[in-house]
Amino acid sequence: RISAAIIKDSAVSQQTSITVQVFNGVVLLVGQAPTQTLMQQAEKLASSVQNVKKLHNQIRLGAPLSASVVANDAWLASKVKTQLIADKRIDGLHIEIEVENSEVFLMGIVSEKESNIAVDITRNIKGVKQVIKAFEYT
């Protein structure tokens, strides 16, 4: 529903590159927008959708990413997911990952301890610039 709302707004849909990730009512917006106004409009559209408990607006000011950066992000996401699944201290299958320009966003319902472990694992993967938590805590 959030993606549909963004697509309906021609200025936002035509001038921005935004990915929407939702987990248990927590919304993460990532991508690029050429102006602060468009970033705020995307946030307004997302927050107007019913059942949004929390919104993380991580849209960056700038032009859309190149195909090579997008491909690198996909590769990095698979590396992060593999490492999280391989670690027996956490349930990596219940952590959602979004990567945008080598910034890794982590979502899910975890304990504080699991959050710290997931961040530590992710932070130590080569190519990760920054780790941003969008977790809900048990």
Side-chain angles (χ1 to χ4, degrees):
R1 292 182 294 184
I2 294 170
S3 294
I6 288 172
I7 289 168
K8 280 184 186 177
D9 187 304
S10 61
V12 175
S13 66
Q14 292 173 10
Q15 297 178 51
T16 66
S17 174
I18 298 172
T19 302
V20 178
Q21 185 76 267
V22 181
F23 188 91
N24 198 38
V26 177
V27 178
L28 172 66
L29 300 177
V30 296
Q32 301 75 41
T35 68
Q36 189 73 31
T37 302
L38 287 169
M39 290 167 60
Q40 292 168 343
Q41 179 62 16
E43 181 175 339
K44 182 179 174 184
L45 291 166
S47 63
S48 70
V49 172
Q50 231 178 355
N51 299 322
V52 171
K53 292 194 290 190
K54 188 171 186 178
L55 178 74
H56 298 277
N57 185 351
Q58 295 292 325
I59 301 169
R60 306 293 190 236
L61 199 57
L65 301 176
S66 68
S68 63
V69 172
V70 172
N72 184 66
D73 287 345
W75 174 77
L76 198 53
S78 68
K79 276 178 54 174
V80 171
K81 190 67 169 178
T82 300
Q83 292 293 319
L84 292 177
I85 291 172
D87 196 295
K88 301 299 180 204
R89 298 173 294 167
I90 58 172
D91 186 353
L93 292 173
H94 289 96
I95 297 175
E96 296 292 322
I97 300 161
E98 185 68 40
V99 180
E100 186 82 11
N101 201 20
S102 299
E103 291 181 311
V104 180
F105 301 88
L106 301 174
M107 297 179 76
I109 302 172
V110 297
S111 69
E112 188 83 31
K113 181 180 178 183
E114 290 169 319
S115 167
N116 293 336
I117 292 168
V119 168
D120 190 50
I121 291 167
T122 304
R123 172 181 340 160
N124 289 299
I125 294 174
K126 186 176 182 178
V128 172
K129 278 197 240 176
Q130 182 176 3
V131 181
I132 298 154
K133 298 186 287 185
F135 287 125
E136 285 184 86
Y137 295 100
T138 55

